[in-house]
Amino acid sequence: MASTLRPLMMILFATWLLILGGSVIVFKLIVPIPDLYEGRIGLIVTAILKAGASVALVLVWVWIMVNLRNLYVKRILKPVSSD
Amino acid sequence: MSSSPFDSQFLVLVAGFAVLLSAGATYVASSLLIGLLGKKGRVVMDYHKKGKPMVPKPGGPAIILGLVVGEAVLYLFTQQASLLALMATLIIAGVIGLLDDVVTLSGAVKPALLLFASLPILLLGAYDFHLALPFFGAVRLSIIYPILLLLAIPVTSNTVNTIDVLNGVVSGFMLIASIPLIFALLLFGNYVVAAAATVFAATAAAFYLVHRYPSKIFPGDSGSLTLGAGYGALAIIGRAEMVGVVALLPAILNSFFFLSTVKRLVEHRKVKERPIVVSEDGLLTASRKPEAPISLVRLIVARSPMFEHQVAGEILRLAAFSAILAALTALTVRGF
């Protein structure tokens, strides 16, 4: 039983670390970025850049999760499937 | 919220009464529903057992009743508007769930309707747009938080709905997930919401008694959507969003795995290829077809086939592991 759950627990733990790490990057690095230019245009450009960077981070998060899933499936589910 | 010793003692007494009332109401209503639904022929096949017995469904009304009665008692004594928002959310999600139990809503209509369950929290202002994050305190999200809140209840409801796959899983899972939430709420000093979360745990525990293997009744979508909406609402009004997300991780991963293989919002009953195969003697085996969706149960039985109660036990162990991570998250949030 423990061997069945260990890889899934590792995926859960990795997901937890990704959530914590992602929130640190978004709110500690991306959100405090100062306006790139003076005035209204600078405000809008900076906001778009921040939103873009956050979306990119989410996409990286999804990419990592899909790869973790594929790794698990390749190692554990595929041998069963190819019987 | 209750700073003086008298207030604290009073709140503990009221919470104790609300917990007993909600657990009692849930258990008695479930027992009555088992007989009533059985007589009316409102039963469904339990696919994962030898002989495929018929089981009454839905037990959701008992869950809705237990939760609303318990939270109403807390509201009467504390007069906190956030509890009104919680009750309204529970009732709206419960009604949508009942509708789904009767007519089976599509995979896209259900989350759309559940947006209405978020509205009471928004309209009664039962939220704080300062999101409490681990390690570096709260972050002001005055524009994006209400948008995220609107999506939060449909997401938590549907996520919890997707793990209602085996006997005792959804009720046991919500009971375990509510423990770190109560811990976090006590740690953050949100004592009234902690009492409301204890009522939630008591309802889940009472329903687990009739839902555990072998199930005497299934919660149906009315039960699972109500539990999911209630959990999401508690995390929001208690400012323990991150803790709630981490505690629900096994269910979130289950949804993520499913959606990333099916690649669309679809009602799980309408998926052609099943992720698992059930043998005549009730042994659950991972599907060998590559087009079958990936689910938590399929991954658990991938190494070796298991019986239903064994898989349910494994899912609850994963829930316990996530609950520990959620409690650690609460400590990192509290630390700053």
Side-chain angles (χ1 to χ4, degrees):
Chain A
M1 294 284 174
S3 62
T4 307
L5 283 190
R6 201 173 299 134
L8 285 170
M9 283 179 173
M10 283 168 69
I11 291 178
L12 281 176
F13 188 70
T15 310
W16 181 60
L17 290 179
L18 284 169
I19 290 172
L20 294 188
S23 59
V24 168
I25 293 170
V26 169
F27 296 106
K28 206 69 179 167
L29 297 178
I30 297 174
V31 171
I33 293 173
D35 290 350
L36 297 175
Y37 315 105
E38 290 286 321
R40 198 168 176 80
I41 292 175
L43 191 79
I44 293 167
V45 169
T46 312
I48 291 169
L49 277 177
K50 285 180 184 179
S54 302
V55 168
L57 194 72
V58 170
L59 291 176
V60 169
W61 191 90
V62 170
W63 181 80
I64 294 172
M65 290 309 300
V66 168
N67 278 288
L68 274 175
R69 184 204 73 187
N70 290 344
L71 189 72
Y72 184 91
V73 169
K74 270 183 194 154
R75 287 173 70 117
I76 294 161
L77 201 57
K78 279 278 171 67
V80 177
S81 308
S82 60
D83 274 355
Chain B
M1 297 195 187
S2 300
S3 50
S4 75
F6 173 79
D7 284 348
S8 302
Q9 285 175 2
F10 181 69
L11 184 61
V12 168
L13 276 176
V14 172
F17 177 61
V19 161
L20 287 176
L21 202 64
S22 61
T26 306
Y27 187 77
V28 171
S30 302
S31 305
L32 291 173
L33 274 174
I34 291 168
L36 191 71
L37 292 169
K39 272 183 196 165
K40 294 233 175 201
R42 294 202 70 89
V43 289
V44 290
M45 191 183 284
D46 191 347
Y47 286 102
H48 304 118
K49 281 191 192 67
K50 193 179 174 181
K52 313 260 186 287
M54 302 303 279
V55 178
K57 180 188 158 186
I63 293 173
I64 301 165
L65 177 78
L67 282 171
V68 172
V69 163
E71 306 301 359
V73 167
L74 279 178
Y75 174 71
L76 282 175
F77 286 95
T78 62
Q79 298 291 311
Q80 290 234 345
S82 58
L83 295 181
L84 265 188
L86 172 64
M87 281 190 284
T89 297
L90 289 168
I91 291 167
I92 294 170
V95 169
I96 293 165
L98 278 171
L99 193 67
D100 195 29
D101 283 329
V102 177
V103 295
T104 308
L105 302 168
S106 79
V109 170
K110 194 161 44 177
L113 281 177
L114 282 164
L115 289 170
F116 289 103
S118 303
L119 289 179
I121 305 172
L122 266 178
L123 297 177
L124 289 171
Y127 66 96
D128 184 341
F129 52 70
H130 292 91
L131 182 67
L133 291 164
F135 305 119
F136 49 90
V139 177
R140 184 189 160 97
L141 299 170
S142 52
I143 296 169
I144 200 151
Y145 192 94
I147 300 166
L148 293 176
L149 193 162
L150 201 63
L151 300 174
I153 302 300
V155 168
T156 52
S157 307
N158 277 293
T159 302
V160 169
N161 188 31
T162 60
I163 53 148
D164 182 23
V165 284
L166 301 172
N167 288 192
V169 167
V170 74
S171 51
F173 188 96
M174 294 320 289
L175 172 61
I176 293 168
S178 59
I179 294 167
L181 189 63
I182 297 166
F183 170 72
L185 293 166
L186 290 173
L187 203 65
F188 302 163
N190 295 337
Y191 301 123
V192 174
V193 188
T198 312
V199 165
F200 181 87
T203 303
F207 192 77
Y208 179 75
L209 294 176
V210 288
H211 185 219
R212 67 186 167 178
Y213 184 91
S215 285
K216 294 179 185 134
I217 190 167
F218 290 151
D221 286 349
S222 52
S224 56
L225 291 178
T226 308
L227 286 171
Y231 193 86
L234 282 165
I236 289 165
I237 65 174
R239 294 193 64 203
E241 299 92 340
M242 290 294 282
V243 176
V245 166
V246 176
L248 291 184
L249 270 184
I252 293 169
L253 284 182
N254 182 48
S255 289
F256 177 78
F257 290 152
F258 184 85
L259 287 172
S260 63
T261 43
V262 174
K263 293 187 172 63
R264 65 197 158 101
L265 281 175
V266 62
E267 172 60 32
H268 61 90
R269 281 166 284 206
K270 292 185 178 165
V271 175
K272 283 179 189 165
E273 287 302 336
R274 309 303 300 173
I276 52 162
V277 179
V278 187
S279 68
E280 282 298 311
D281 55 354
L283 209 55
L284 274 57
T285 311
S287 169
R288 288 156 192 264
K289 296 181 178 173
E291 63 271 26
I294 294 172
S295 69
L296 200 57
V297 175
R298 191 180 178 204
L299 293 181
I300 289 172
V301 297
R303 277 180 191 264
S304 60
M306 289 182 195
F307 287 105
E308 183 184 17
H309 66 279
Q310 292 174 314
V311 184
E314 296 287 70
I315 295 174
L316 295 185
R317 277 184 206 100
L318 285 177
F321 180 70
S322 270
I324 293 167
L325 295 179
L328 287 174
T329 308
L331 289 172
T332 64
V333 171
R334 177 63 184 159
F336 286 82

